[in-house]
Amino acid sequence: MDQDSAFYKAIDLLKSMISTPSTSRNEEAVANLIGDYLANETGLEVHRSGNNVWVIAQGFDPSRPTLLLNSHCDTVKPVATWTRDPFAPVEEMVEGTSGRIETRLYGLGSNDAGAPLVSLLHTFLLLKDIPQAYNLVFLASCEEEVSGRNGIESVLPLLPKIDLAVVGEPTGMHAAIAEKGLVVLDGVAHGKSGHAARNEGVNAIYIALDAIQKLRYFSFENESPTLGPVKITVSVVNAGTVHNVVPDLCSFVVDVRSTDAYTNQEIVARLQQLVAPVELTPRSTRLQPSGISEAHPIIQRIKTLGRQCFGSPTLSDQALLSCPSVKIGPGDSARSHTADEYICLEEIREAIQLYFSLLNGLNF
């Protein structure tokens, strides 16, 4: 297979994926589609766990490092403002922002992350029979959009040890060398109920407000050179039952976007100390920030290919990987989760070319 054939095959597969509804936790049909496609195109054994599908290139050698190519097969649910059928892949010629005519493929998941997935899959097909200094694994994972525990996290123990990962997400084929993590905290302030007409009780809202003010103006000492400061946002507040009762309980939710300057556990401990005795309980600390050194060989090669490096505020399956990883793929993050989502076909052609140039002959 040459790159031109890979491009046309990638487009056909993407159209089939768009036609196969695959919202998070409902990916069985698209996992079947991808698994059958890999079996037919590679002749290799296709592995599956739940709705995660992967394949390992021939000649696996445990003495060599292993490279993982990964993207996700699930989509968000279509928003109400779609003006076309989100599950009908349609090509249209459109004048782009640069004034040039471009061919767009519309459909749910076309940009996030169908195009990165089919581009990485066909890069795998191009590389699998070329001797490399590394082992090669391709994985289409599920439940990424909901950070589900049945997605990539459940598969990693079943894979060979991964030494480097390329995660396909829409980045315009520029490289996210760091990505913010996420911690959601549930806050609870306790007071004492009383009648609002009398000087009774201890108002839990006021206690919570003091804690919220501390969170609003608090800054962590260290900042990430690529991701900037840790971002803290109080996003939900609930308290009270009726107007004439002093509330004895006020709950609130804190959204924390962590950076590689701290672990999630360090952030939680510091914020709990800041607002004590108000309770802050993390729902999870598993979605860690990630980063890769700019000195890593894959980043050096990315720069040689003229691509930019940046820190990403959006979350992906990188958060669940413990190995060095880079997030790079065709498309534009601004199109993700929007009505009338699309990918430009030339973005897929460019992605296959760049992925191949990036990975063929790579040593790490």
Side-chain angles (χ1 to χ4, degrees):
M1 181 187 298
D2 58 22
Q3 290 187 21
D4 203 47
S5 298
F7 164 69
Y8 289 110
K9 283 179 171 288
I11 298 302
D12 288 341
L13 177 59
L14 180 54
K15 288 178 179 178
S16 296
M17 289 175 60
I18 292 169
S19 301
T20 307
S22 55
T23 55
S24 299
R25 300 192 174 97
N26 295 286
E27 309 98 340
E28 182 176 2
V30 80
N32 291 340
L33 172 69
I34 294 168
D36 290 345
Y37 187 86
L38 283 169
N40 291 333
E41 291 292 328
T42 68
L44 299 172
E45 180 182 4
V46 176
H47 305 270
R48 180 161 177 172
S49 176
N51 292 326
N52 304 283
V53 179
W54 70 96
V55 65
I56 302 172
Q58 285 183 326
F60 182 87
D61 182 346
S63 68
R64 296 185 305 198
T66 298
L67 171 64
L68 173 68
L69 308 182
N70 165 246
S71 191
H72 64 91
C73 64
D74 62 317
T75 72
V76 296
K77 294 180 180 179
V79 296
T81 50
W82 273 82
T83 64
R84 56 186 76 224
D85 182 350
F87 302 110
V90 175
E91 289 185 31
E92 289 186 9
M93 303 287 286
V94 177
E95 183 177 337
T97 55
S98 65
R100 297 175 59 184
I101 299 298
E102 57 192 26
T103 303
R104 295 179 178 178
L105 175 60
Y106 289 90
L108 181 65
S110 56
N111 177 78
D112 183 15
L117 188 149
V118 299
S119 298
L120 280 174
L121 188 157
H122 287 84
T123 302
F124 175 90
L125 297 180
L126 291 169
L127 290 171
K128 70 179 180 65
D129 296 322
I130 302 175
Q132 303 290 345
Y134 55 81
N135 303 306
L136 186 62
V137 179
F138 170 79
L139 166 67
S141 51
C142 66
E143 294 192 8
E144 189 273 347
E145 294 291 3
V146 292
S147 299
R149 292 185 180 274
N150 294 319
I152 192 172
E153 185 178 28
S154 69
V155 176
L156 289 174
L158 307 178
L159 300 179
K161 177 182 175 293
I162 304 301
D163 299 281
L164 174 66
V166 175
V167 178
E169 291 282 348
T171 68
M173 288 308 291
H174 297 293
I177 60 172
E179 179 184 271
K180 286 190 175 182
L182 171 65
V183 184
V184 179
L185 298 161
D186 289 305
V188 179
H190 296 277
K192 183 178 179 182
S193 62
H195 199 297
R198 296 190 292 268
N199 189 22
E200 293 179 348
V202 178
N203 196 320
I205 293 176
Y206 299 154
I207 298 172
L209 282 174
D210 288 340
I212 291 170
Q213 283 290 86
K214 289 177 181 178
L215 292 167
R216 180 181 180 184
Y217 293 108
F218 178 75
S219 297
F220 282 91
E221 296 82 2
N222 299 331
E223 288 194 11
S224 166
T226 49
L227 296 171
V230 174
K231 189 173 187 303
I232 304 167
T233 305
V234 177
S235 51
V236 179
V237 179
N238 288 295
T241 54
V242 291
H243 74 90
N244 59 351
V245 176
V246 174
D248 60 359
L249 189 72
C250 181
S251 63
F252 57 95
V253 178
V254 189
D255 179 291
V256 181
R257 302 293 165 152
S258 52
T259 76
D260 51 358
Y262 298 92
T263 66
N264 285 352
Q265 290 81 358
E266 289 170 334
I267 289 171
V268 170
R270 182 68 185 90
L271 295 182
Q272 286 173 330
Q273 181 185 46
L274 176 71
V275 302
V278 169
E279 300 168 5
L280 278 185
T281 304
R283 296 180 184 177
S284 169
T285 56
R286 57 193 271 270
L287 301 176
Q288 295 281 355
S290 60
I292 186 171
S293 169
E294 292 196 51
H296 194 285
I298 195 170
I299 304 305
Q300 291 300 304
R301 185 172 278 202
I302 283 170
K303 291 181 177 180
T304 300
L305 292 171
R307 314 312 292 183
Q308 299 173 1
C309 296
F310 69 101
S312 173
T314 58
L315 201 65
S316 76
D317 276 339
Q318 270 189 298
L320 298 168
L321 293 168
S322 58
C323 64
S325 60
V326 59
K327 182 168 69 177
I328 182 170
D332 186 339
S333 182
R335 300 179 206 147
S336 301
H337 306 181
T338 62
D340 301 334
E341 178 185 355
Y342 69 89
I343 188 74
C344 296
L345 298 191
E346 283 305 308
E347 292 176 304
I348 295 176
R349 184 189 293 278
E350 177 194 46
I352 294 171
Q353 292 170 347
L354 278 169
Y355 279 144
F356 184 83
S357 297
L358 175 63
L359 302 175
N360 188 34
L362 178 68
N363 286 283
F364 59 92

